[in-house]
Amino acid sequence: MHPDEANQAWKTGILWQTGQYRYDPAEHHGPTLYYLTVPVLWLAGAGDFAQTTETHYRLLSALAGLGLVGAIGLLHKALGAGPVLAAAALTALSPVMVFYSRYYIQEMLLVLFTLGVLGSLARCRQSQSLAGAVFWAAVAGVLVGLMAATKETWILALGAMGAAGLLCTLGNCWVVQPSKSPLAMPNRSGWPTWPILAVVGLCGAAVTAGVFYTSFGSHPQGILDALEAYRVYLQRGVEAGPHRHPPLFYLERLLAYRAKGVFWTEGFILLLAVVGGGWAFWPRHRPHCLEHPEVEPADIGLVRFLTFYTVVLTILYSAVPYKTPWCAAQFWHGWILLAGVGSWRLMIWPSGLANRLVAWLLWAATGLMLLVGVGHLAWQSWQLNFNPRFYADGERNPWVYAHTAPHLLRLAERMEQLAAATPEGHRMSVHVIVPDNYWPLPWYLRRFDQERVGYWN
Protein backbone atom coordinates (compact mmCIF):
# COMPACT_ATOMS: atom_id res chain seq x y z
CA MET A 1 0.00 0.00 0.00
CA HIS A 2 1.20 3.48 -0.86
CA PRO A 3 1.40 5.62 2.31
CA ASP A 4 -1.49 7.76 1.04
CA GLU A 5 -3.60 4.66 0.34
CA ALA A 6 -2.96 3.31 3.83
CA ASN A 7 -3.86 6.66 5.37
CA GLN A 8 -7.10 6.85 3.39
CA ALA A 9 -8.00 3.26 4.29
CA TRP A 10 -7.42 4.03 7.98
CA LYS A 11 -9.78 7.01 7.89
CA THR A 12 -12.37 4.91 6.05
CA GLY A 13 -12.06 2.26 8.73
CA ILE A 14 -12.78 4.84 11.43
CA LEU A 15 -15.89 6.00 9.57
CA TRP A 16 -17.05 2.43 9.00
CA GLN A 17 -16.51 1.27 12.59
CA THR A 18 -17.59 4.41 14.48
CA GLY A 19 -19.76 6.35 12.03
CA GLN A 20 -17.61 9.41 12.73
CA TYR A 21 -16.03 11.65 10.10
CA ARG A 22 -14.67 15.18 10.33
CA TYR A 23 -13.23 16.94 7.31
CA ASP A 24 -9.63 18.09 7.81
CA PRO A 25 -8.90 21.26 5.78
CA ALA A 26 -5.15 20.60 5.91
CA GLU A 27 -4.94 16.94 4.84
CA HIS A 28 -6.59 13.89 3.29
CA HIS A 29 -8.85 15.75 0.77
CA GLY A 30 -12.63 15.40 0.53
CA PRO A 31 -15.07 12.93 2.10
CA THR A 32 -16.62 11.16 -0.91
CA LEU A 33 -13.88 8.51 -1.04
CA TYR A 34 -14.65 7.37 2.50
CA TYR A 35 -18.42 7.48 2.33
CA LEU A 36 -18.58 5.68 -1.03
CA THR A 37 -16.25 2.94 0.25
CA VAL A 38 -18.47 2.04 3.20
CA PRO A 39 -21.10 0.26 1.02
CA VAL A 40 -18.29 -1.75 -0.58
CA LEU A 41 -17.14 -2.88 2.87
CA TRP A 42 -20.70 -3.79 3.84
CA LEU A 43 -21.16 -5.87 0.70
CA ALA A 44 -17.75 -7.51 1.14
CA GLY A 45 -18.88 -8.92 4.48
CA ALA A 46 -15.72 -8.05 6.41
CA GLY A 47 -16.33 -8.31 10.14
CA ASP A 48 -14.21 -5.35 11.16
CA PHE A 49 -11.39 -3.12 9.93
CA ALA A 50 -8.72 -5.70 10.82
CA GLN A 51 -10.30 -8.19 8.41
CA THR A 52 -10.35 -5.85 5.42
CA THR A 53 -7.79 -6.15 2.63
CA GLU A 54 -6.30 -3.91 -0.03
CA THR A 55 -8.84 -5.25 -2.53
CA HIS A 56 -11.79 -3.99 -0.48
CA TYR A 57 -10.56 -0.42 -0.79
CA ARG A 58 -9.02 -0.42 -4.24
CA LEU A 59 -12.23 -1.87 -5.64
CA LEU A 60 -13.86 1.57 -5.44
CA SER A 61 -11.13 3.08 -7.60
CA ALA A 62 -11.45 0.19 -10.05
CA LEU A 63 -15.20 0.74 -10.27
CA ALA A 64 -14.58 4.45 -10.86
CA GLY A 65 -12.19 3.57 -13.70
CA LEU A 66 -14.78 1.25 -15.24
CA GLY A 67 -17.44 3.90 -14.74
CA LEU A 68 -15.21 6.37 -16.58
CA VAL A 69 -15.24 4.07 -19.63
CA GLY A 70 -19.03 3.76 -19.54
CA ALA A 71 -19.80 7.39 -18.69
CA ILE A 72 -18.31 8.51 -22.01
CA GLY A 73 -21.64 7.33 -23.40
CA LEU A 74 -23.14 10.58 -22.08
CA LEU A 75 -21.43 12.26 -25.02
CA HIS A 76 -22.92 9.87 -27.59
CA LYS A 77 -25.49 12.30 -28.97
CA ALA A 78 -22.97 15.11 -29.16
CA LEU A 79 -19.99 13.28 -30.64
CA GLY A 80 -21.49 10.23 -32.33
CA ALA A 81 -20.97 6.53 -31.68
CA GLY A 82 -17.58 6.25 -33.39
CA PRO A 83 -15.74 8.93 -31.37
CA VAL A 84 -17.35 7.73 -28.13
CA LEU A 85 -16.31 4.10 -28.67
CA ALA A 86 -12.80 5.18 -29.63
CA ALA A 87 -12.48 7.38 -26.53
CA ALA A 88 -13.79 4.56 -24.33
CA ALA A 89 -11.18 2.17 -25.74
CA LEU A 90 -8.36 4.68 -25.23
CA THR A 91 -9.53 5.31 -21.66
CA ALA A 92 -9.52 1.59 -20.92
CA LEU A 93 -5.99 1.16 -22.29
CA SER A 94 -4.25 4.37 -21.21
CA PRO A 95 -1.46 3.33 -18.77
CA VAL A 96 -2.01 6.28 -16.45
CA MET A 97 -5.77 5.68 -16.31
CA VAL A 98 -5.34 1.99 -15.53
CA PHE A 99 -2.60 2.65 -12.97
CA TYR A 100 -4.62 5.05 -10.85
CA SER A 101 -7.79 3.00 -11.26
CA ARG A 102 -5.98 0.56 -8.96
CA TYR A 103 -4.95 3.17 -6.36
CA TYR A 104 -7.06 3.97 -3.31
CA ILE A 105 -6.95 7.76 -3.64
CA GLN A 106 -9.48 10.39 -4.78
CA GLU A 107 -8.19 10.93 -8.30
CA MET A 108 -10.33 8.56 -10.37
CA LEU A 109 -13.48 9.62 -8.57
CA LEU A 110 -12.65 13.23 -9.44
CA VAL A 111 -12.05 12.36 -13.10
CA LEU A 112 -15.31 10.38 -13.24
CA PHE A 113 -17.39 13.17 -11.71
CA THR A 114 -15.75 15.71 -14.04
CA LEU A 115 -16.65 13.64 -17.08
CA GLY A 116 -20.18 13.37 -15.72
CA VAL A 117 -20.41 17.17 -15.56
CA LEU A 118 -19.18 17.51 -19.15
CA GLY A 119 -21.62 14.86 -20.35
CA SER A 120 -24.54 16.37 -18.44
CA LEU A 121 -23.83 19.83 -19.83
CA ALA A 122 -23.74 18.36 -23.33
CA ARG A 123 -27.12 16.66 -22.75
CA CYS A 124 -28.55 19.87 -21.31
CA ARG A 125 -27.33 21.78 -24.37
CA GLN A 126 -29.06 19.32 -26.68
CA SER A 127 -32.31 18.93 -24.76
CA GLN A 128 -35.41 19.60 -26.80
CA SER A 129 -37.60 20.49 -23.82
CA LEU A 130 -37.35 22.65 -20.74
CA ALA A 131 -37.97 19.67 -18.46
CA GLY A 132 -35.10 17.76 -20.05
CA ALA A 133 -32.78 20.72 -19.75
CA VAL A 134 -33.69 21.24 -16.08
CA PHE A 135 -33.09 17.55 -15.36
CA TRP A 136 -29.61 17.56 -16.87
CA ALA A 137 -28.78 20.87 -15.19
CA ALA A 138 -29.69 19.27 -11.86
CA VAL A 139 -27.53 16.22 -12.64
CA ALA A 140 -24.62 18.47 -13.58
CA GLY A 141 -25.05 20.40 -10.33
CA VAL A 142 -25.01 17.26 -8.20
CA LEU A 143 -21.88 16.06 -9.98
CA VAL A 144 -20.19 19.44 -9.45
CA GLY A 145 -21.01 19.03 -5.76
CA LEU A 146 -19.42 15.57 -5.79
CA MET A 147 -16.33 17.04 -7.46
CA ALA A 148 -16.12 19.68 -4.74
CA ALA A 149 -16.52 17.03 -2.04
CA THR A 150 -13.83 14.81 -3.56
CA LYS A 151 -10.68 16.92 -3.94
CA GLU A 152 -9.83 20.58 -3.66
CA THR A 153 -8.29 20.67 -7.15
CA TRP A 154 -11.81 20.44 -8.58
CA ILE A 155 -11.69 24.21 -8.74
CA LEU A 156 -9.09 23.98 -11.54
CA ALA A 157 -11.42 21.90 -13.70
CA LEU A 158 -14.34 24.23 -13.05
CA GLY A 159 -12.15 27.22 -13.88
CA ALA A 160 -11.08 25.55 -17.11
CA MET A 161 -14.73 24.93 -18.03
CA GLY A 162 -15.55 28.57 -17.39
CA ALA A 163 -12.57 29.75 -19.43
CA ALA A 164 -13.49 27.39 -22.27
CA GLY A 165 -17.06 28.66 -22.31
CA LEU A 166 -15.86 32.26 -22.39
CA LEU A 167 -13.38 31.57 -25.19
CA CYS A 168 -16.05 29.79 -27.23
CA THR A 169 -18.41 32.72 -26.75
CA LEU A 170 -15.86 35.39 -27.59
CA GLY A 171 -14.63 33.44 -30.60
CA ASN A 172 -18.15 32.57 -31.78
CA CYS A 173 -17.17 28.90 -31.59
CA TRP A 174 -20.43 27.47 -30.28
CA VAL A 175 -21.97 27.28 -33.76
CA VAL A 176 -25.76 27.76 -33.92
CA GLN A 177 -27.90 26.13 -31.27
CA PRO A 178 -30.78 23.91 -32.49
CA SER A 179 -33.87 26.06 -32.85
CA LYS A 180 -35.87 23.93 -30.40
CA SER A 181 -33.23 23.94 -27.68
CA PRO A 182 -34.50 25.51 -24.44
CA LEU A 183 -31.13 27.21 -24.16
CA ALA A 184 -31.99 29.25 -27.24
CA MET A 185 -35.65 29.88 -26.47
CA PRO A 186 -37.39 31.97 -23.80
CA ASN A 187 -39.71 30.20 -21.38
CA ARG A 188 -43.32 31.11 -20.75
CA SER A 189 -42.38 34.12 -18.66
CA GLY A 190 -40.45 35.59 -21.57
CA TRP A 191 -37.14 35.33 -19.73
CA PRO A 192 -34.26 33.29 -21.19
CA THR A 193 -33.98 29.77 -19.85
CA TRP A 194 -30.31 29.70 -18.91
CA PRO A 195 -30.72 31.60 -15.56
CA ILE A 196 -33.19 28.93 -14.43
CA LEU A 197 -30.77 26.17 -15.35
CA ALA A 198 -27.91 27.97 -13.59
CA VAL A 199 -29.92 28.27 -10.37
CA VAL A 200 -30.90 24.60 -10.51
CA GLY A 201 -27.28 23.58 -11.05
CA LEU A 202 -25.94 25.81 -8.27
CA CYS A 203 -28.51 24.51 -5.80
CA GLY A 204 -27.68 20.91 -6.67
CA ALA A 205 -23.96 21.55 -6.23
CA ALA A 206 -24.33 23.41 -2.93
CA VAL A 207 -26.65 20.83 -1.36
CA THR A 208 -24.53 17.87 -2.45
CA ALA A 209 -21.23 19.33 -1.26
CA GLY A 210 -22.84 20.52 1.97
CA VAL A 211 -24.24 17.08 2.78
CA PHE A 212 -20.80 15.47 2.54
CA TYR A 213 -18.76 18.20 4.24
CA THR A 214 -21.17 18.41 7.18
CA SER A 215 -21.07 14.61 7.59
CA PHE A 216 -24.74 14.43 6.57
CA GLY A 217 -25.69 17.32 8.82
CA SER A 218 -23.97 16.16 12.00
CA HIS A 219 -21.00 18.55 11.73
CA PRO A 220 -21.98 22.01 10.37
CA GLN A 221 -18.45 23.28 11.01
CA GLY A 222 -17.43 21.22 7.99
CA ILE A 223 -18.71 23.97 5.66
CA LEU A 224 -16.32 26.53 7.14
CA ASP A 225 -13.51 23.97 7.15
CA ALA A 226 -14.13 23.33 3.45
CA LEU A 227 -13.74 27.04 2.71
CA GLU A 228 -10.63 27.27 4.88
CA ALA A 229 -9.06 24.45 2.87
CA TYR A 230 -8.61 26.67 -0.19
CA ARG A 231 -6.32 29.01 1.73
CA VAL A 232 -4.31 26.02 2.95
CA TYR A 233 -4.02 24.37 -0.46
CA LEU A 234 -3.28 27.63 -2.25
CA GLN A 235 -0.33 28.20 0.06
CA ARG A 236 0.79 24.61 -0.32
CA GLY A 237 0.48 24.77 -4.09
CA VAL A 238 2.71 27.85 -4.28
CA GLU A 239 5.32 26.75 -1.76
CA ALA A 240 5.26 23.08 -2.89
CA GLY A 241 8.20 21.93 -0.73
CA PRO A 242 9.42 18.42 -1.64
CA HIS A 243 6.67 18.16 -4.27
CA ARG A 244 7.89 21.16 -6.28
CA HIS A 245 8.46 20.12 -9.87
CA PRO A 246 9.06 21.96 -13.19
CA PRO A 247 6.18 22.85 -15.55
CA LEU A 248 6.84 19.91 -17.90
CA PHE A 249 6.74 17.33 -15.08
CA TYR A 250 3.42 15.83 -16.21
CA LEU A 251 4.01 16.01 -19.95
CA GLU A 252 7.41 14.37 -19.62
CA ARG A 253 5.81 11.39 -17.90
CA LEU A 254 2.99 11.20 -20.38
CA LEU A 255 4.88 11.76 -23.61
CA ALA A 256 8.56 10.91 -23.22
CA TYR A 257 9.62 9.17 -20.00
CA ARG A 258 13.07 7.60 -20.26
CA ALA A 259 14.86 5.94 -17.33
CA LYS A 260 17.32 3.07 -16.98
CA GLY A 261 16.88 1.66 -20.45
CA VAL A 262 13.07 1.97 -20.72
CA PHE A 263 10.98 4.46 -22.66
CA TRP A 264 7.26 5.06 -22.12
CA THR A 265 4.97 7.35 -24.08
CA GLU A 266 1.27 8.00 -24.58
CA GLY A 267 2.09 10.40 -27.38
CA PHE A 268 -0.22 8.41 -29.68
CA ILE A 269 -3.17 9.83 -27.73
CA LEU A 270 -1.87 13.38 -28.05
CA LEU A 271 -1.42 13.03 -31.82
CA LEU A 272 -5.00 11.81 -32.22
CA ALA A 273 -6.22 14.61 -29.94
CA VAL A 274 -4.49 17.23 -32.11
CA VAL A 275 -6.34 15.79 -35.10
CA GLY A 276 -9.67 15.89 -33.24
CA GLY A 277 -9.25 19.40 -31.90
CA GLY A 278 -7.82 20.70 -35.17
CA TRP A 279 -10.73 19.25 -37.13
CA ALA A 280 -13.21 21.16 -34.97
CA PHE A 281 -11.58 24.47 -35.92
CA TRP A 282 -11.25 23.65 -39.62
CA PRO A 283 -13.03 26.47 -41.48
CA ARG A 284 -15.14 24.38 -43.88
CA HIS A 285 -17.82 23.17 -41.46
CA ARG A 286 -21.56 23.23 -41.74
CA PRO A 287 -23.22 23.74 -38.34
CA HIS A 288 -23.69 20.45 -36.48
CA CYS A 289 -22.65 18.34 -39.47
CA LEU A 290 -19.66 16.36 -40.58
CA GLU A 291 -18.61 16.61 -44.19
CA HIS A 292 -20.08 13.21 -45.04
CA PRO A 293 -23.85 12.65 -44.76
CA GLU A 294 -23.46 8.94 -43.98
CA VAL A 295 -21.68 9.75 -40.72
CA GLU A 296 -23.58 10.62 -37.56
CA PRO A 297 -23.77 14.37 -36.80
CA ALA A 298 -21.39 15.81 -34.23
CA ASP A 299 -21.66 18.91 -32.08
CA ILE A 300 -18.66 20.81 -33.38
CA GLY A 301 -19.21 23.52 -30.78
CA LEU A 302 -18.79 20.95 -28.00
CA VAL A 303 -15.55 19.63 -29.53
CA ARG A 304 -14.24 23.19 -29.63
CA PHE A 305 -15.26 23.63 -26.00
CA LEU A 306 -13.45 20.38 -25.06
CA THR A 307 -10.35 21.61 -26.89
CA PHE A 308 -10.24 24.91 -25.00
CA TYR A 309 -11.08 23.17 -21.72
CA THR A 310 -8.33 20.57 -22.09
CA VAL A 311 -5.63 23.05 -23.10
CA VAL A 312 -6.51 25.45 -20.28
CA LEU A 313 -6.65 22.67 -17.66
CA THR A 314 -3.28 21.30 -18.82
CA ILE A 315 -1.74 24.76 -18.51
CA LEU A 316 -3.21 25.25 -15.02
CA TYR A 317 -1.90 21.95 -13.69
CA SER A 318 1.49 22.53 -15.28
CA ALA A 319 1.75 26.04 -13.82
CA VAL A 320 1.12 24.99 -10.20
CA PRO A 321 4.52 24.22 -8.59
CA TYR A 322 3.06 21.46 -6.38
CA LYS A 323 2.81 18.34 -8.52
CA THR A 324 2.09 14.67 -7.90
CA PRO A 325 1.81 12.28 -10.86
CA TRP A 326 -1.77 11.18 -10.25
CA CYS A 327 -3.01 14.71 -10.92
CA ALA A 328 -2.20 14.14 -14.60
CA ALA A 329 -5.23 11.86 -14.94
CA GLN A 330 -7.57 14.86 -14.57
CA PHE A 331 -6.43 16.80 -17.63
CA TRP A 332 -5.23 13.78 -19.62
CA HIS A 333 -8.76 12.47 -19.94
CA GLY A 334 -9.68 15.61 -21.84
CA TRP A 335 -7.00 14.72 -24.37
CA ILE A 336 -8.40 11.19 -24.54
CA LEU A 337 -11.87 12.53 -25.42
CA LEU A 338 -10.37 14.63 -28.21
CA ALA A 339 -8.35 11.61 -29.34
CA GLY A 340 -11.59 9.68 -29.74
CA VAL A 341 -12.81 12.37 -32.12
CA GLY A 342 -9.47 12.42 -33.94
CA SER A 343 -9.29 8.65 -34.42
CA TRP A 344 -12.77 8.57 -35.89
CA ARG A 345 -11.98 11.45 -38.22
CA LEU A 346 -8.92 9.60 -39.51
CA MET A 347 -11.00 6.51 -40.15
CA ILE A 348 -13.69 8.24 -42.20
CA TRP A 349 -11.80 10.92 -44.10
CA PRO A 350 -10.89 8.67 -47.08
CA SER A 351 -14.62 8.14 -47.75
CA GLY A 352 -14.76 11.54 -49.43
CA LEU A 353 -12.24 10.60 -52.12
CA ALA A 354 -13.53 9.97 -55.64
CA ASN A 355 -11.07 7.14 -56.34
CA ARG A 356 -12.43 4.19 -54.34
CA LEU A 357 -9.20 2.16 -54.65
CA VAL A 358 -7.16 4.98 -53.17
CA ALA A 359 -9.80 5.46 -50.49
CA TRP A 360 -9.64 1.78 -49.49
CA LEU A 361 -5.83 1.80 -49.42
CA LEU A 362 -5.79 4.90 -47.22
CA TRP A 363 -8.45 3.41 -44.99
CA ALA A 364 -6.42 0.21 -44.58
CA ALA A 365 -3.22 2.18 -43.82
CA THR A 366 -5.04 4.34 -41.27
CA GLY A 367 -6.60 1.30 -39.65
CA LEU A 368 -3.23 -0.39 -39.38
CA MET A 369 -1.69 2.72 -37.85
CA LEU A 370 -4.46 2.95 -35.27
CA LEU A 371 -4.17 -0.76 -34.48
CA VAL A 372 -0.42 -0.46 -33.88
CA GLY A 373 -0.90 2.61 -31.68
CA VAL A 374 -3.61 0.98 -29.59
CA GLY A 375 -1.55 -2.20 -29.30
CA HIS A 376 1.43 -0.21 -28.04
CA LEU A 377 -0.76 1.46 -25.40
CA ALA A 378 -2.09 -1.93 -24.29
CA TRP A 379 1.43 -3.37 -24.03
CA GLN A 380 2.63 -0.40 -21.96
CA SER A 381 -0.41 -0.61 -19.72
CA TRP A 382 0.26 -4.28 -19.03
CA GLN A 383 3.94 -3.68 -18.30
CA LEU A 384 3.43 -0.71 -15.98
CA ASN A 385 0.50 -2.19 -14.07
CA PHE A 386 1.06 -5.95 -13.90
CA ASN A 387 4.72 -6.72 -14.60
CA PRO A 388 6.53 -7.18 -11.24
CA ARG A 389 9.61 -5.57 -12.77
CA PHE A 390 7.87 -2.21 -13.10
CA TYR A 391 4.65 -1.86 -11.10
CA ALA A 392 6.40 -0.59 -7.95
CA ASP A 393 9.65 0.69 -9.47
CA GLY A 394 9.95 4.38 -8.62
CA GLU A 395 12.67 4.98 -11.20
CA ARG A 396 11.41 3.07 -14.23
CA ASN A 397 7.67 3.54 -13.82
CA PRO A 398 6.56 7.15 -14.38
CA TRP A 399 3.46 6.73 -12.18
CA VAL A 400 5.16 5.29 -9.10
CA TYR A 401 5.79 8.16 -6.69
CA ALA A 402 7.00 7.93 -3.09
CA HIS A 403 5.72 4.39 -3.06
CA THR A 404 6.24 1.73 -0.43
CA ALA A 405 8.95 -0.79 -1.34
CA PRO A 406 7.42 -4.28 -1.86
CA HIS A 407 9.78 -5.88 0.66
CA LEU A 408 7.77 -4.21 3.43
CA LEU A 409 5.39 -7.14 2.95
CA ARG A 410 8.08 -9.33 4.51
CA LEU A 411 7.98 -7.16 7.64
CA ALA A 412 4.20 -7.55 7.83
CA GLU A 413 4.57 -11.32 7.46
CA ARG A 414 7.22 -11.44 10.18
CA MET A 415 4.97 -9.47 12.56
CA GLU A 416 2.25 -12.07 12.07
CA GLN A 417 4.79 -14.83 12.78
CA LEU A 418 5.81 -13.09 16.00
CA ALA A 419 2.18 -12.71 17.05
CA ALA A 420 1.65 -16.43 16.48
CA ALA A 421 4.71 -17.27 18.58
CA THR A 422 3.93 -15.14 21.65
CA PRO A 423 1.30 -15.75 24.37
CA GLU A 424 -0.16 -12.25 23.88
CA GLY A 425 -0.74 -12.83 20.18
CA HIS A 426 -1.97 -9.63 18.53
CA ARG A 427 -2.01 -7.96 21.96
CA MET A 428 1.79 -7.96 22.15
CA SER A 429 3.52 -4.62 22.57
CA VAL A 430 4.79 -3.07 19.33
CA HIS A 431 7.18 -0.10 19.20
CA VAL A 432 7.54 1.71 15.86
CA ILE A 433 10.56 4.01 15.78
CA VAL A 434 11.01 5.96 12.55
CA PRO A 435 12.39 9.49 12.07
CA ASP A 436 9.81 10.69 9.56
CA ASN A 437 6.54 9.40 8.10
CA TYR A 438 5.49 6.04 9.56
CA TRP A 439 2.78 5.33 6.96
CA PRO A 440 1.83 2.73 5.71
CA LEU A 441 2.88 0.81 8.85
CA PRO A 442 -0.44 1.38 10.68
CA TRP A 443 -2.17 -0.45 7.85
CA TYR A 444 0.10 -3.47 8.16
CA LEU A 445 -0.29 -3.43 11.96
CA ARG A 446 -4.09 -3.08 11.82
CA ARG A 447 -4.68 -6.55 13.30
CA PHE A 448 -2.73 -5.69 16.45
CA ASP A 449 -4.24 -4.15 19.58
CA GLN A 450 -3.87 -0.44 18.81
CA GLU A 451 -3.60 0.44 22.49
CA ARG A 452 -0.35 -1.54 22.55
CA VAL A 453 1.14 -0.15 19.33
CA GLY A 454 3.18 3.05 19.77
CA TYR A 455 5.00 5.40 17.41
CA TRP A 456 8.17 7.41 18.19
CA ASN A 457 10.58 9.45 16.09
Side-chain angles (χ1 to χ4, degrees), residues 62-88:
L63 291 173
L66 290 171
L68 192 65
V69 176
I72 297 176
L74 287 171
L75 298 170
H76 171 261
K77 289 185 177 181
L79 302 182
V84 162
L85 289 174

Side-chain angles (χ1 to χ4, degrees), residues 68-415:
L68 192 65
V69 176
I72 297 176
L74 287 171
L75 298 170
H76 171 261
K77 289 185 177 181
L79 302 182
V84 162
L85 289 174
L90 292 172
T91 300
L93 294 176
S94 167
V96 63
M97 292 296 167
V98 177
F99 194 87
Y100 293 121
S101 292
R102 305 171 69 241
Y103 240 53
Y104 187 60
I105 57 176
Q106 285 84 357
E107 219 60 43
M108 294 313 295
L109 284 177
L110 180 61
V111 179
L112 174 60
F113 296 147
T114 303
L115 173 62
V117 172
L118 294 172
S120 299
L121 292 177
R123 290 298 183 99
C124 181
R125 170 179 160 86
Q126 295 176 312
S127 294
Q128 299 298 303
S129 68
L130 179 60
V134 169
F135 171 79
W136 285 111
V139 172
V142 170
L143 289 167
V144 168
L146 289 172
M147 288 174 63
T150 297
K151 192 176 180 182
E152 296 74 13
T153 52
W154 76 282
I155 201 72
L156 297 180
L158 195 69
M161 291 181 196
L166 181 61
L167 289 170
C168 281
T169 301
L170 294 177
N172 195 25
C173 294
W174 284 117
V175 195
V176 180
Q177 286 289 334
S179 59
K180 295 182 179 180
S181 171
L183 291 175
M185 297 175 61
N187 55 47
R188 293 179 180 178
S189 66
W191 288 87
T193 300
W194 67 265
I196 299 175
L197 303 181
V199 170
V200 169
L202 288 172
C203 290
V207 170
T208 303
V211 165
F212 279 98
Y213 278 114
T214 61
S215 303
F216 288 81
S218 65
H219 181 60
Q221 177 66 28
I223 295 292
L224 297 178
D225 291 338
L227 297 175
E228 168 67 13
Y230 294 101
R231 182 191 65 80
V232 174
Y233 282 96
L234 177 61
Q235 181 178 359
R236 183 175 301 169
V238 173
E239 296 177 352
H243 300 293
R244 176 180 289 274
H245 296 288
L248 296 181
F249 175 79
Y250 296 122
L251 294 180
E252 177 192 9
R253 278 163 168 70
L254 286 164
L255 304 178
Y257 187 82
R258 187 188 303 275
K260 289 194 171 183
V262 297
F263 179 78
W264 312 106
T265 178
E266 297 189 44
F268 176 68
I269 290 176
L270 181 62
L271 291 175
L272 293 177
V274 170
V275 173
W279 162 79
F281 288 92
W282 197 255
R284 295 177 302 183
H285 278 314
R286 297 191 300 274
H288 297 276
C289 295
L290 297 173
E291 292 91 332
H292 310 292
E294 71 274 11
V295 180
E296 295 182 60
D299 187 339
I300 298 169
L302 178 64
V303 180
R304 292 171 176 173
F305 171 83
L306 286 175
T307 303
F308 283 131
Y309 159 77
T310 302
V311 171
V312 170
L313 189 58
T314 303
I315 292 173
L316 289 176
Y317 269 101
S318 298
V320 175
Y322 186 104
K323 295 180 177 68
T324 50
W326 41 83
C327 292
Q330 175 75 332
F331 67 80
W332 190 240
H333 197 252
W335 293 106
I336 289 176
L337 295 176
L338 292 174
V341 176
S343 61
W344 186 243
R345 293 304 308 160
L346 288 175
M347 285 299 296
I348 66 171
W349 76 270
S351 61
L353 298 177
N355 190 316
R356 305 312 298 170
L357 177 60
V358 173
W360 275 100
L361 290 175
L362 289 174
W363 182 86
T366 303
L368 179 62
M369 181 269 292
L370 293 174
L371 186 62
V372 171
V374 168
H376 184 238
L377 283 177
W379 177 82
Q380 290 183 102
S381 192
W382 176 264
Q383 294 294 324
L384 292 173
N385 287 282
F386 303 104
N387 188 334
R389 293 175 55 203
F390 301 117
Y391 62 58
D393 190 328
E395 294 184 329
R396 295 188 295 173
N397 188 326
W399 308 119
V400 175
Y401 185 77
H403 199 94
T404 306
H407 62 249
L408 183 68
L409 296 174
R410 296 203 298 268
L411 174 61
E413 182 181 357
R414 177 52 57 90
M415 294 300 297

